[in-house]
Amino acid sequence: MLNLYELEQLAAFARYGTLSKAAEELHISQPTLTRTMHHLEEEFGVSLFVHGKNRLSLNETGMKAVEYASTLLSDAEDAVVQVRRFDQSLHTILVESCAPAPLWSLFPALSEQFPDKTISSRLAEISAIPGRVKEKSCEIGILPCPVEDDTMECVPFIREELSVCLSPDHTLACCSSVTLGMLNGYNCLLKSDIGFWSELCHKKMPASRFLVQTDEFEFRELARTSTLPYFVTNLAYDDDFVKGRIVIPVSDAEANVTFHMIFRKENPEYLKISQRIGRNNI
Protein backbone atom coordinates (compact mmCIF):
# COMPACT_ATOMS: atom_id res chain seq x y z
CA MET A 1 0.00 0.00 0.00
CA LEU A 2 1.24 3.47 -0.86
CA ASN A 3 2.68 5.43 2.04
CA LEU A 4 2.04 9.18 2.15
CA TYR A 5 5.44 9.90 3.64
CA GLU A 6 7.10 7.98 0.82
CA LEU A 7 5.01 9.87 -1.73
CA GLU A 8 6.14 13.09 -0.09
CA GLN A 9 9.74 11.97 -0.62
CA LEU A 10 8.98 11.22 -4.28
CA ALA A 11 7.49 14.67 -4.73
CA ALA A 12 10.53 16.23 -3.06
CA PHE A 13 12.87 14.30 -5.36
CA ALA A 14 10.93 15.59 -8.38
CA ARG A 15 11.01 19.11 -6.97
CA TYR A 16 14.74 19.28 -6.15
CA GLY A 17 16.06 17.07 -8.94
CA THR A 18 18.72 15.13 -7.03
CA LEU A 19 18.69 12.62 -4.20
CA SER A 20 21.24 14.61 -2.20
CA LYS A 21 19.30 17.88 -2.35
CA ALA A 22 15.95 16.19 -1.63
CA ALA A 23 17.46 14.27 1.31
CA GLU A 24 18.93 17.49 2.68
CA GLU A 25 15.59 19.31 2.47
CA LEU A 26 13.73 16.38 4.07
CA HIS A 27 16.37 15.99 6.81
CA ILE A 28 16.92 12.32 6.04
CA SER A 29 19.96 10.41 4.76
CA GLN A 30 20.50 9.85 1.05
CA PRO A 31 20.57 6.03 1.43
CA THR A 32 17.18 6.21 3.20
CA LEU A 33 15.75 8.21 0.31
CA THR A 34 17.27 5.78 -2.22
CA ARG A 35 15.60 2.85 -0.47
CA THR A 36 12.27 4.71 -0.57
CA MET A 37 12.56 5.23 -4.32
CA HIS A 38 13.22 1.51 -4.85
CA HIS A 39 10.32 0.62 -2.57
CA LEU A 40 7.99 2.88 -4.54
CA GLU A 41 8.94 1.10 -7.74
CA GLU A 42 8.00 -2.16 -6.04
CA GLU A 43 4.67 -0.73 -4.87
CA PHE A 44 3.76 0.61 -8.30
CA GLY A 45 5.07 -2.54 -9.97
CA VAL A 46 6.70 -0.57 -12.79
CA SER A 47 9.93 1.26 -13.42
CA LEU A 48 9.79 4.92 -12.33
CA PHE A 49 13.41 5.95 -12.81
CA VAL A 50 16.28 6.01 -15.24
CA HIS A 51 19.21 4.53 -13.33
CA GLY A 52 22.41 6.19 -14.50
CA LYS A 53 25.91 6.06 -13.10
CA ASN A 54 25.74 7.80 -9.72
CA ARG A 55 22.51 9.45 -10.80
CA LEU A 56 18.79 8.75 -10.62
CA SER A 57 16.17 10.55 -12.71
CA LEU A 58 12.46 10.15 -13.33
CA ASN A 59 11.28 8.45 -16.51
CA GLU A 60 7.96 9.31 -18.15
CA THR A 61 6.05 6.88 -15.93
CA GLY A 62 7.78 8.31 -12.88
CA MET A 63 6.66 11.82 -13.78
CA LYS A 64 3.08 10.54 -14.03
CA ALA A 65 3.52 8.93 -10.60
CA VAL A 66 4.64 12.30 -9.23
CA GLU A 67 1.45 13.90 -10.57
CA TYR A 68 -0.70 11.36 -8.75
CA ALA A 69 1.46 11.63 -5.63
CA SER A 70 0.98 15.41 -5.56
CA THR A 71 -2.77 14.97 -5.88
CA LEU A 72 -2.90 12.40 -3.07
CA LEU A 73 -0.77 14.58 -0.79
CA SER A 74 -2.99 17.58 -1.46
CA ASP A 75 -6.12 15.51 -0.78
CA ALA A 76 -4.62 14.19 2.44
CA GLU A 77 -3.76 17.70 3.62
CA ASP A 78 -7.26 18.89 2.75
CA ALA A 79 -8.77 15.93 4.63
CA VAL A 80 -6.90 16.93 7.78
CA VAL A 81 -8.08 20.53 7.46
CA GLN A 82 -11.70 19.49 6.86
CA VAL A 83 -11.79 17.02 9.75
CA ARG A 84 -10.29 19.59 12.12
CA ARG A 85 -12.75 22.20 10.87
CA PHE A 86 -15.66 19.80 11.42
CA ASP A 87 -14.50 19.00 14.94
CA GLN A 88 -14.15 22.71 15.67
CA SER A 89 -17.69 23.32 14.40
CA LEU A 90 -19.00 20.87 16.99
CA HIS A 91 -17.55 22.97 19.78
CA THR A 92 -17.34 26.49 18.33
CA ILE A 93 -19.69 29.03 16.79
CA LEU A 94 -17.66 31.24 14.49
CA VAL A 95 -19.18 34.58 13.48
CA GLU A 96 -17.76 36.63 10.61
CA SER A 97 -18.86 40.25 10.68
CA CYS A 98 -18.32 43.30 8.52
CA ALA A 99 -18.22 45.51 11.65
CA PRO A 100 -17.54 45.03 15.36
CA ALA A 101 -20.60 46.66 16.97
CA PRO A 102 -23.22 44.01 16.04
CA LEU A 103 -21.11 41.43 17.87
CA TRP A 104 -21.61 43.22 21.20
CA SER A 105 -25.26 42.18 21.33
CA LEU A 106 -24.86 38.88 19.53
CA PHE A 107 -22.10 37.39 21.70
CA PRO A 108 -24.00 37.44 25.02
CA ALA A 109 -27.11 35.99 23.33
CA LEU A 110 -25.13 33.16 21.74
CA SER A 111 -23.27 32.42 24.99
CA GLU A 112 -26.55 32.22 26.87
CA GLN A 113 -28.17 29.98 24.26
CA PHE A 114 -25.12 27.72 23.75
CA PRO A 115 -23.22 27.60 27.08
CA ASP A 116 -21.29 24.49 26.02
CA LYS A 117 -19.78 26.14 22.93
CA THR A 118 -16.99 28.63 22.40
CA ILE A 119 -18.10 31.81 20.59
CA SER A 120 -15.46 33.38 18.37
CA SER A 121 -15.45 36.07 15.71
CA ARG A 122 -13.40 37.80 13.09
CA LEU A 123 -13.92 40.81 10.86
CA ALA A 124 -14.20 40.03 7.15
CA GLU A 125 -14.87 41.70 3.82
CA ILE A 126 -18.56 42.07 2.98
CA SER A 127 -18.18 40.24 -0.33
CA ALA A 128 -16.51 37.22 1.31
CA ILE A 129 -18.97 36.57 4.13
CA PRO A 130 -21.92 34.95 2.27
CA GLY A 131 -19.67 32.42 0.58
CA ARG A 132 -17.94 31.52 3.83
CA VAL A 133 -21.27 30.92 5.55
CA LYS A 134 -22.47 28.84 2.62
CA GLU A 135 -19.32 26.70 2.49
CA LYS A 136 -19.51 26.19 6.28
CA SER A 137 -16.30 28.05 7.05
CA CYS A 138 -18.31 29.95 9.64
CA GLU A 139 -21.75 29.52 11.18
CA ILE A 140 -23.05 33.11 11.18
CA GLY A 141 -22.34 36.15 9.01
CA ILE A 142 -23.14 39.81 9.70
CA LEU A 143 -23.75 42.06 6.69
CA PRO A 144 -24.89 45.69 6.24
CA CYS A 145 -27.41 44.62 3.61
CA PRO A 146 -29.67 41.64 2.87
CA VAL A 147 -28.67 38.76 0.62
CA GLU A 148 -30.85 36.32 -1.24
CA ASP A 149 -29.85 32.67 -1.22
CA ASP A 150 -32.10 29.63 -1.07
CA THR A 151 -29.75 27.86 1.32
CA MET A 152 -29.56 30.68 3.90
CA GLU A 153 -31.76 32.68 6.22
CA CYS A 154 -31.20 36.43 6.23
CA VAL A 155 -32.71 38.35 9.17
CA PRO A 156 -32.37 42.06 10.05
CA PHE A 157 -31.41 42.30 13.70
CA ILE A 158 -29.67 45.55 14.67
CA ARG A 159 -29.26 49.10 13.35
CA GLU A 160 -26.18 51.31 13.60
CA GLU A 161 -26.24 55.03 12.84
CA LEU A 162 -23.11 57.12 12.40
CA SER A 163 -22.53 60.57 13.89
CA VAL A 164 -19.53 62.87 13.86
CA CYS A 165 -18.21 64.67 16.94
CA LEU A 166 -17.04 68.21 16.16
CA SER A 167 -15.48 70.90 18.30
CA PRO A 168 -17.90 73.81 18.95
CA ASP A 169 -15.89 76.17 16.73
CA HIS A 170 -15.77 73.78 13.75
CA THR A 171 -17.14 75.20 10.49
CA LEU A 172 -19.83 72.50 10.33
CA ALA A 173 -20.81 72.60 14.02
CA CYS A 174 -23.94 74.60 13.27
CA CYS A 175 -25.35 71.96 10.88
CA SER A 176 -28.24 69.75 11.95
CA SER A 177 -26.76 66.90 9.89
CA VAL A 178 -23.78 66.39 7.61
CA THR A 179 -22.72 64.06 4.84
CA LEU A 180 -19.35 62.38 4.55
CA GLY A 181 -18.88 64.50 1.44
CA MET A 182 -19.20 67.64 3.57
CA LEU A 183 -16.53 66.25 5.90
CA ASN A 184 -14.23 65.43 2.98
CA GLY A 185 -11.00 67.36 3.37
CA TYR A 186 -11.10 67.56 7.14
CA ASN A 187 -8.59 65.36 8.92
CA CYS A 188 -10.14 62.96 11.44
CA LEU A 189 -9.37 60.54 14.21
CA LEU A 190 -10.31 56.97 13.37
CA LYS A 191 -10.19 53.72 15.29
CA SER A 192 -8.60 50.63 13.80
CA ASP A 193 -10.47 47.36 13.34
CA ILE A 194 -13.84 48.95 12.59
CA GLY A 195 -14.60 46.79 9.57
CA PHE A 196 -16.35 48.27 6.57
CA TRP A 197 -16.70 51.68 8.29
CA SER A 198 -13.03 52.35 7.59
CA GLU A 199 -13.45 51.61 3.88
CA LEU A 200 -16.56 53.81 3.76
CA CYS A 201 -14.76 56.78 5.31
CA HIS A 202 -11.78 56.46 2.99
CA LYS A 203 -14.07 56.10 -0.03
CA LYS A 204 -16.31 59.05 0.81
CA MET A 205 -13.55 61.30 2.17
CA PRO A 206 -10.63 60.83 -0.23
CA ALA A 207 -9.20 64.30 0.50
CA SER A 208 -9.11 63.67 4.26
CA ARG A 209 -6.26 62.18 6.24
CA PHE A 210 -7.04 59.79 9.07
CA LEU A 211 -5.07 59.43 12.27
CA VAL A 212 -5.79 55.74 12.92
CA GLN A 213 -5.48 54.63 16.55
CA THR A 214 -5.11 51.01 17.65
CA ASP A 215 -5.10 51.76 21.38
CA GLU A 216 -8.42 52.72 23.00
CA PHE A 217 -6.81 54.87 25.70
CA GLU A 218 -4.74 56.82 23.18
CA PHE A 219 -7.78 57.32 20.98
CA ARG A 220 -9.77 58.75 23.89
CA GLU A 221 -6.92 61.00 24.95
CA LEU A 222 -6.56 62.44 21.45
CA ALA A 223 -10.32 62.88 21.22
CA ARG A 224 -10.29 64.76 24.52
CA THR A 225 -7.25 66.97 23.92
CA SER A 226 -7.43 67.69 20.18
CA THR A 227 -9.97 69.42 17.96
CA LEU A 228 -9.91 66.67 15.32
CA PRO A 229 -13.35 65.28 14.36
CA TYR A 230 -14.10 61.67 15.25
CA PHE A 231 -17.03 59.32 14.77
CA VAL A 232 -19.43 57.64 17.18
CA THR A 233 -22.52 55.50 16.63
CA ASN A 234 -25.70 54.79 18.53
CA LEU A 235 -24.22 51.40 19.46
CA ALA A 236 -21.07 52.93 20.95
CA TYR A 237 -22.29 56.17 22.50
CA ASP A 238 -20.72 57.44 25.71
CA ASP A 239 -21.80 60.78 27.22
CA ASP A 240 -18.39 61.33 28.84
CA PHE A 241 -16.63 60.55 25.58
CA VAL A 242 -18.51 63.24 23.65
CA LYS A 243 -18.43 65.88 26.42
CA GLY A 244 -17.52 69.27 24.99
CA ARG A 245 -18.31 68.18 21.43
CA ILE A 246 -21.19 68.83 19.08
CA VAL A 247 -22.59 65.47 17.95
CA ILE A 248 -24.09 65.67 14.47
CA PRO A 249 -25.78 62.78 12.61
CA VAL A 250 -24.24 61.68 9.31
CA SER A 251 -27.09 61.52 6.81
CA ASP A 252 -25.55 59.29 4.10
CA ALA A 253 -27.64 56.17 3.56
CA GLU A 254 -24.48 54.05 3.78
CA ALA A 255 -23.77 55.52 7.23
CA ASN A 256 -27.10 54.36 8.65
CA VAL A 257 -27.10 50.62 8.42
CA THR A 258 -29.45 47.80 9.33
CA PHE A 259 -27.26 44.79 9.88
CA HIS A 260 -28.50 41.41 8.72
CA MET A 261 -27.60 38.10 10.30
CA ILE A 262 -27.18 35.24 7.83
CA PHE A 263 -26.93 31.54 8.60
CA ARG A 264 -27.63 28.27 6.86
CA LYS A 265 -31.22 27.01 6.94
CA GLU A 266 -29.98 23.83 8.57
CA ASN A 267 -29.31 25.94 11.70
CA PRO A 268 -32.78 27.34 12.57
CA GLU A 269 -31.74 27.70 16.23
CA TYR A 270 -30.07 31.02 15.33
CA LEU A 271 -33.37 32.52 14.14
CA LYS A 272 -34.78 33.10 17.63
CA ILE A 273 -31.61 34.85 18.70
CA SER A 274 -31.69 37.26 15.76
CA GLN A 275 -35.36 37.98 16.33
CA ARG A 276 -34.89 38.58 20.04
CA ILE A 277 -32.07 41.06 19.44
CA GLY A 278 -34.00 42.68 16.60
CA ARG A 279 -37.05 43.43 18.75
CA ASN A 280 -34.97 45.87 20.82
CA ASN A 281 -32.59 47.26 18.24
CA ILE A 282 -34.44 47.97 14.97
Side-chain angles (χ1 to χ4, degrees):
M1 180 176 291
L2 293 174
N3 179 296
L4 287 177
Y5 183 54
E6 290 185 340
L7 292 178
E8 185 179 352
Q9 293 178 53
L10 176 64
F13 173 64
R15 186 163 58 251
Y16 296 110
T18 66
L19 289 169
S20 58
K21 181 63 175 176
E24 179 183 346
E25 293 295 328
L26 292 169
H27 304 291
I28 60 176
S29 69
Q30 186 170 328
T32 297
L33 183 58
T34 300
R35 286 194 296 272
T36 296
M37 298 301 104
H38 287 307
H39 184 253
L40 283 171
E41 281 192 315
E42 292 174 1
E43 286 292 324
F44 280 104
V46 294
S47 174
L48 303 177
F49 306 99
V50 176
H51 298 265
K53 186 178 181 181
N54 299 322
R55 180 173 175 80
L56 194 70
S57 60
L58 290 162
N59 61 24
E60 189 173 355
T61 302
M63 288 186 284
K64 177 57 69 172
V66 169
E67 289 181 25
Y68 283 111
S70 299
T71 300
L72 288 171
L73 290 168
S74 178
D75 288 345
E77 184 177 343
D78 184 60
V80 171
V81 170
Q82 294 301 328
V83 169
R84 287 176 177 173
R85 182 178 293 170
F86 175 77
D87 182 69
Q88 184 184 45
S89 72
L90 298 178
H91 308 287
T92 304
I93 297 175
L94 175 60
V95 183
E96 292 202 355
S97 179
C98 63
L103 300 172
W104 303 337
S105 296
L106 183 58
F107 262 47
L110 287 171
S111 296
E112 180 181 352
Q113 184 74 22
F114 304 99
D116 58 332
K117 291 196 174 186
T118 299
I119 315 300
S120 65
S121 69
R122 59 186 172 214
L123 295 179
E125 297 288 334
I126 293 172
S127 59
I129 293 175
R132 291 186 61 78
V133 173
K134 191 169 184 176
E135 69 185 18
K136 301 185 179 182
S137 296
C138 65
E139 282 62 58
I140 297 173
I142 307 298
L143 297 169
C145 54
V147 295
E148 293 185 8
D149 190 296
D150 292 339
T151 67
M152 293 189 290
E153 295 283 358
C154 179
V155 186
F157 82 108
I158 198 166
R159 184 166 176 81
E160 188 169 23
E161 298 171 348
L162 192 67
S163 297
V164 64
C165 297
L166 303 175
S167 59
D169 59 351
H170 193 281
T171 305
L172 301 175
C174 60
C175 298
S176 58
S177 67
V178 296
T179 65
L180 293 174
M182 293 168 64
L183 292 168
N184 186 32
Y186 294 104
N187 299 332
C188 298
L189 289 173
L190 203 64
K191 288 185 179 182
S192 63
D193 299 324
I194 56 175
F196 85 103
W197 289 116
S198 178
E199 181 182 350
L200 178 65
C201 289
H202 282 86
K203 178 182 177 181
K204 292 282 188 174
M205 301 168 61
S208 297
R209 299 186 68 180
F210 297 97
L211 187 59
V212 179
Q213 298 299 301
T214 59
D215 184 271
E216 178 70 17
F217 175 79
E218 292 179 359
F219 180 85
R220 286 179 170 267
E221 280 297 292
L222 284 170
R224 182 178 64 84
T225 58
S226 77
T227 59
L228 288 171
Y230 58 88
F231 296 99
V232 295
T233 79
N234 59 310
L235 299 181
Y237 196 88
D238 181 340
D239 288 333
D240 290 335
F241 185 46
V242 300
K243 187 179 295 184
R245 294 281 185 147
I246 308 297
V247 182
I248 302 175
V250 177
S251 60
D252 302 64
E254 303 97 318
N256 297 277
V257 174
T258 298
F259 289 103
H260 289 69
M261 179 172 159
I262 63 171
F263 50 90
R264 296 181 297 278
K265 288 186 176 180
E266 65 196 56
N267 300 123
E269 62 270 24
Y270 300 138
L271 181 59
K272 289 184 179 179
I273 293 175
S274 63
Q275 291 174 334
R276 186 167 74 246
I277 297 172
R279 280 196 295 269
N280 300 320
N281 292 284
I282 295 181

